[in-house]
Amino acid sequence: MSVLDLAPAEEGASIRDALAATVATARRAAEPGVRRVRVAEHHGYRSVGSVAPPVLPARLAASTPRIRVGSGGVLPTNHAPRAVAEHFTTLAALHPGRVDLGIGRGPGTDDLDTVRALRRGGGRATDDEYRAGLVERLALLGDTDGRRVPPGADALPEPWLPASSVAGAELAAGLGLPLAFAHHIRPGDTLEGWAVTGSGSGPHGGTGAPRAGERGDGLRGDRRRGRPSRPPRDARHGRGAEAPLLSPEKAAAESISAGLEERLLRIRATRAYGIPDEVRRRLSAVASQTAADELMLSTPVHDPNDRTRSLSLAAGRA
């Protein structure tokens, strides 16, 4: 079991509070046997404090004795390939054997102005630009033609490919990279994505071993309505895409349309929530169906203490 933490900021909390809670979660995560903590890269949301993929993992690594840390992932279209390689190689040198470099696909925002600001005036990246950037980063982490950066580096991050589509899984298989499939985003594609990964290694020496990403919303068992940390586009209407997480009480009191209610029910059907035994059954079913060797949980519930408590309950340690 592992954790994907977006440093969610609940209503009334600051981003500083959210980041402190993420550090505290990582410190406590080893107790229920969590293998790794990864942070994401999202931009322009008041509800998300995880915006700087090289910075937050460095803080987590410095605050924990042994748990693996990393990105889930860096979005290569927003960063120069050499900068990413240097940042994470430095981090791996400081914490050898503990650093993951997940390299994602999207821009980390729905706002085109933010995309242009991140890309210094450029628009959304094409598939070809993404693939070229990914391959260049992998080359800089290897030792192809003496290109490794910084030169002489002897501790490297482990590259991964987070994906939410069959095409992403095919790319991971072709490059021989371990796959972290976003089951919570496209659960209908998970099994097909798994099927194309295989078990062989590709040109970059990865194992191709798949991991599953599973969303665990509201594991406390009270079944109060809560919104996902990144709700559907129409759910954000009127509150802004960047609105912080509502408390369960305020979320339950909000008036929503019948269409949105139906959509939220469909989302809940893909989540693991309820009393601990129900959650563990759901997680076990995903592991069995996919043959994944690791489940990565994202638990964007309102209270940071409830988030860490949920991990312990899901692991059967509380």
Side-chain angles (χ1 to χ4, degrees):
M1 190 173 74
S2 296
V3 174
L4 175 64
D5 196 317
L6 276 63
E10 64 269 17
E11 191 173 39
S14 67
I15 293 299
R16 180 179 179 180
D17 296 330
L19 293 172
T22 293
V23 173
T25 296
R27 284 173 173 161
R28 293 192 290 252
E31 297 174 11
V34 169
R35 175 182 287 183
R36 72 186 85 230
V37 176
R38 288 187 182 166
V39 296
E41 179 183 348
H42 288 297
H43 301 280
Y45 299 95
R46 277 187 295 157
S47 61
V48 176
S50 183
V51 299
V55 178
L56 188 51
R59 180 71 171 91
L60 299 182
S63 302
T64 57
R66 59 186 178 275
I67 198 168
R68 293 189 67 92
V69 300
S71 64
V74 170
L75 303 176
T77 59
N78 296 340
H79 311 279
R82 188 179 181 96
V84 173
E86 289 182 341
H87 291 162
F88 277 84
T89 302
T90 300
L91 185 56
L94 292 169
H95 305 280
R98 296 181 57 200
V99 178
D100 296 333
L101 173 57
I103 307 176
R105 169 66 178 86
T109 176
D110 288 338
D111 190 313
L112 187 55
D113 288 339
T114 302
V115 171
R116 289 172 176 152
L118 289 165
R119 302 201 68 207
R120 298 166 296 283
R124 297 185 187 278
T126 65
D127 288 343
D128 288 343
E129 288 174 322
Y130 162 65
R131 184 184 177 94
L134 172 60
V135 171
E136 183 174 357
R137 282 162 181 80
L138 293 172
L140 291 170
L141 291 173
D143 200 18
T144 305
D145 300 325
R147 297 178 66 196
R148 177 176 294 177
V149 293
D154 58 358
L156 299 174
E158 181 182 1
W160 285 65
L161 193 71
S164 60
S165 67
V166 175
E170 290 173 342
L171 179 59
L175 294 174
L177 293 176
L179 171 69
F181 197 90
H183 178 73
H184 63 286
I185 295 177
R186 289 196 179 98
D189 288 350
T190 301
L191 294 180
E192 186 178 355
W194 241 231
V196 303
T197 59
S199 58
S201 62
H204 295 284
T207 64
R211 269 70 166 178
E214 170 65 17
R215 190 60 158 260
D217 288 332
L219 304 186
R220 293 173 57 195
D222 54 18
R223 300 180 184 272
R224 290 177 294 185
R225 178 190 298 155
R227 299 200 184 284
S229 61
R230 191 175 180 190
R233 190 179 299 272
D234 51 355
R236 301 197 299 262
H237 181 70
R239 294 187 65 235
E242 77 287 0
L245 283 170
L246 291 177
S247 68
E249 293 77 16
K250 286 192 175 182
E254 278 208 340
S255 177
I256 59 177
S257 68
L260 178 54
E261 177 73 28
E262 182 180 351
R263 187 170 182 181
L264 290 173
L265 287 173
R266 289 200 301 270
I267 291 172
R268 281 182 73 116
T270 68
R271 306 295 194 247
Y273 67 93
I275 62 175
D277 283 348
E278 291 176 349
V279 170
R280 288 194 286 269
R281 279 196 295 270
R282 166 65 179 170
L283 298 180
S284 294
V286 172
S288 176
Q289 291 165 2
T290 61
D293 57 0
E294 186 172 335
L295 294 181
M296 183 166 289
L297 307 187
S298 174
T299 312
V301 295
H302 182 262
D303 189 305
N305 292 322
D306 285 344
R307 289 199 289 272
T308 54
R309 171 73 169 160
S310 293
L311 291 173
S312 294
L313 291 171
R317 302 292 180 88

